[in-house]
Each structure stands twice: as C-alpha cells, then as structure tokens.
Amino acid sequence: MIFRILEDQHADKARLAKAVDRRFMQLALTLGRRGLGRTAPNPAVGAVIVKDGVIVGRGWTQDGGRPHAEPEALRRAGAQAKGATLYVTLEPCSHVGRSPPCADAVIAAGIARVVSAMPDPNPDVAGQGHARLRAAGIVVDVGLLGDEAARDHAGHISRVVNKRPHVILKLAVSSDDKIGLAGKPVAITGEETRSRVHLLRAQCDAILVGIGTVIADNPDLTCRLPGMAAQSPVRVVLDRALRISGDSKLVHSARNAPLWLVASETAEAAAATKLGAAGAVIIRLPTRDAPGLDLVSIMAALHARNITRLMVEGGARVAKSFLQANLVDEVWLLRGPDPIGDSGVAALHDMPLSTITQSPDFARRASETLGRDTLTIYERA
C-alpha cells in the first residue's frame, strides 16, 4: 500500500513537471513568433530562462537575425542564469558565424538544464550544439513540442534541407470556389479575415503574385495593420516581359517597400532601366521554350536572396503552377459566405479545388471561424 502511494506521488510529480515544461516551452514558441518575417535567413527562435519556477530571462531572435534568442535571454537573466533551466525552440548553435556559438554562451552562464524543442537541421549544427552542452555537464532534453516548433521553423528547415523557401499558398475563395471576376476586384472575405492575412504577410519574408494580378487589381501587397507597415514583406512579381506600369502602386512604393520583378533575360532593357530607377530590383532569368518563367529557377533565385518564407497570393494560374510543380508546403484557404456565380474566376484556373481539399498530398491541420468566413489550413502530408 505504501509502495503504491509512493508510486502515485512520483507519477503526480512527473506529470506536474511535464506540464510546467510545456507551459514554458509554449511561451518560448510565442516569443519566437515575434521574429517571423524579420530574421531571415536566420530562424526566428524563442528562449525562456526559469529558476525556481520564476522566469528570469526571455529572448527572441532580433531583426536581421542578430542577436540570437539565447544570448538575449541570458543578457536579461544576468547572474540568475546560473543553475537555471533554459527553454529554447531550436538547438543552440555550435558553430562560429557572425556571432559566437550560443552553446558556448549557455555553458559560460552556468545553465543547469536545457529543454530544446528540436535539433537544428543545419549541417553546421545538426546535434553538435546539444552534444556540446551535454559534454559540459548540462542536462539536455530534446523534443518537447517539436512538431509545433518545426512549423514555426519551416522556413529555416526548407532553406537548409530543400534549398528553397517554405511556400504558403493563400487562397480567398467564395462559397462557390471563385476568387473574383475577370478584370474586376471583388471583396470575398470580411475585415477580420483581411487582418489575419495582413498578419501572415508580416510573418513572411516575401509575397509573390503574377503580373496578371497586378494589372487587374493594382495591389499594394503591404502589411496594413496599424503600426506594422515597416514589417511588410518583399513584394515579388512574376513579370516575364516587364509589363508592369510605372504608375502602379507597387512601382510608386518601391522605395518604401522592396519590389522585386522577376523577368526573362530578354525583357526590354529600357523598361528595366526605368523600373530600376524607380527603386525596383530586376531579377533576370534565362529564357526557356515553354511559356512563362521556370518556378524552380525562381525558387533558387529567392533562396539565394535569403527568402525563407514565401507567401503566394495569386492569381489562379500562378497558384495552379505552384501546385503542379509540387512547390506548395502549406495552404491557407479562406472561404467567404457568398457565391460569385458562373462568371467568376475559378480559384485554380482549370484545376479543381479538390486538388488541395481532397488530395492525399495535403492534410488539414486546423480550421477556425473568422467573422462570417472560415479559415482552413492544409499542410503537406
């Protein structure tokens, strides 16, 4: 009987300790998300330092990727870091880059235990950070909320593993699977949904559309949430022949928010010079026999320019081409409550929306209601 009571007490303590670890790791993940869209090419990491149940330091990767989350948290903890537990959403780095290894800073601070959500797939780290901590006598636990951390670090993972950005396809569709009327913008979703989309823009390094969308809608493609204009992503337009108008909102704002135009190497030089003078960056790619631009080459060009999280926003042909090229990692399907009718433009051109919603290639991760709209998130299965 006494043995059973002791067993139960031990189990209760273990459950409590696990719950405490989850709470602090969840906070570290929340902190790390503050850097999404602002730290590339570095991952947006969060870190929390806890001693005797009290948070003594917090940190997240700062704009531009430096300083890292761990030294930020250690700086705030000061001497209280000695003997404390560090919760971090990605393995502390162990290599010398533009700053010293975070693993060495953790060791020097006297941290007693590290709870790490996941190993870093970067070949320069890849377990060496955890190994260095253990060699210094630090207790290291790996894997807590690892799936959630992997989603937050999807851009970093894709950068080092796939050598391309993580691609998020955003589709706003009517109740009858249309994205608008030809040549005429249509408000499909409500204000709450649009605010959510602008937040996603701020959390991505770049947003991509085709020239057809630019001509039809004359969009800004910036983040218009209050106080967040500076967090607008790089605007990327696929414009093979450089047809974009010098009077477009994108060109007019090119000196305030970066504008990259992806064109063929045969695009008119005079147009490129004029657009470049307005502040646009022209990315020229080799011509090919097939119409349009080669998406693999585009992904390589964006990867070379440190884009890790790419939001693809339209139009229908561009969305279809990314799906056909197997380059979509995540889909945000935003559905409004009203139909558009037979004259509307199909979401994926001549490809059915079931290519996503009923495909074994995508699994539904989450669904929620936003006012009168619904958001369903699918991810690569």
Side-chain angles (χ1 to χ4, degrees):
M1 181 66 176
I2 293 175
F3 182 71
R4 172 64 63 84
I5 291 173
L6 291 173
E7 262 191 341
D8 290 344
Q9 288 177 341
H10 179 75
D12 288 341
K13 286 182 179 180
R15 280 192 293 269
L16 178 60
K18 188 173 182 178
V20 168
D21 282 347
R22 287 181 65 88
R23 179 163 62 91
F24 289 127
M25 182 60 79
Q26 193 64 65
L27 174 58
L29 288 163
T30 301
L31 290 171
R33 292 180 192 123
R34 294 185 179 187
L36 287 175
R38 303 164 70 178
T39 66
N42 286 351
V45 178
V48 176
I49 298 174
V50 179
K51 190 171 186 178
D52 299 326
V54 177
I55 296 174
V56 296
R58 301 183 307 161
W60 55 93
T61 308
Q62 299 297 292
D63 291 4
R66 297 288 191 281
H68 289 182
E70 300 94 323
E72 275 291 291
L74 290 169
R75 178 181 62 82
R76 296 179 182 186
Q80 296 182 86
K82 187 174 179 62
T85 296
L86 167 67
Y87 297 86
V88 63
T89 64
L90 186 68
E91 176 182 6
C93 63
S94 55
H95 64 296
V96 177
R98 286 186 292 162
S99 59
C102 290
D104 289 354
V106 171
I107 294 168
I111 291 288
R113 177 179 177 234
V114 171
V115 182
S116 172
M118 60 175 287
D120 189 341
N122 185 344
D124 290 332
V125 186
Q128 297 176 66
H130 291 151
R132 186 175 297 189
L133 296 174
R134 290 189 176 106
I138 297 174
V139 175
V140 179
D141 297 320
V142 182
L144 180 63
L145 298 182
D147 288 345
E148 196 168 336
R151 292 189 182 105
D152 290 350
H153 297 312
H156 171 65
I157 295 169
S158 186
R159 182 181 76 86
V160 299
V161 175
N162 301 322
K163 308 302 181 187
R164 67 166 177 83
H166 176 80
V167 175
I168 303 171
L169 173 63
K170 188 231 85 178
L171 293 171
V173 302
S174 61
S175 61
D176 55 350
D177 295 348
K178 302 295 194 298
I179 60 171
L181 293 167
K184 180 181 177 182
V186 177
I188 293 175
T189 55
E191 189 59 37
E192 189 174 347
T193 299
R194 286 193 288 274
S195 295
R196 189 64 170 274
V197 169
H198 282 279
L199 178 59
L200 178 61
R201 286 181 179 181
Q203 293 177 328
C204 290
D205 305 323
I207 180 172
L208 181 148
V209 298
I211 185 58
T213 295
V214 174
I215 293 172
D217 299 346
N218 193 22
D220 290 290
L221 301 180
T222 55
C223 175
R224 295 195 293 277
L225 294 177
M228 295 181 65
Q231 296 180 39
S232 296
V234 174
R235 287 92 51 85
V236 180
V237 179
L238 305 186
D239 187 6
R240 180 174 179 170
L242 290 179
R243 292 189 292 142
I244 191 169
S245 169
D247 295 327
S248 69
K249 292 179 181 179
L250 290 173
V251 174
H252 273 206
S253 61
R255 297 198 182 279
N256 299 319
L259 172 63
W260 297 354
L261 305 174
V262 183
S264 164
E265 62 184 2
T266 61
E268 189 177 305
T273 300
K274 185 176 180 179
L275 291 166
V281 173
I282 314 299
I283 301 174
R284 290 185 176 273
L285 297 179
T287 56
R288 60 176 192 155
D289 294 334
L293 295 161
D294 178 54
L295 289 184
V296 174
S297 298
I298 293 168
M299 292 297 98
L302 296 181
H303 169 75
R305 289 164 174 79
N306 293 330
I307 300 300
T308 66
R309 287 170 57 88
L310 175 67
M311 179 180 176
V312 175
E313 193 161 299
R317 292 177 184 272
V318 170
K320 172 189 171 182
S321 65
F322 269 83
L323 286 165
Q324 284 185 321
N326 195 30
L327 288 171
V328 176
D329 302 298
E330 192 173 332
V331 180
W332 282 44
L333 182 61
L334 299 142
R335 188 179 294 278
D338 302 318
I340 288 180
D342 293 340
S343 58
V345 177
L348 301 175
H349 187 50
D350 56 0
M351 181 185 286
L353 199 57
S354 58
T355 303
I356 297 168
T357 60
Q358 298 177 29
S359 169
D361 296 332
F362 292 98
R364 190 168 79 167
R365 188 180 88 208
S367 183
E368 63 181 289
T369 300
L370 298 170
R372 298 175 64 216
D373 309 323
T374 59
L375 163 63
T376 307
I377 299 177
Y378 298 85
E379 62 186 4
R380 187 186 289 271

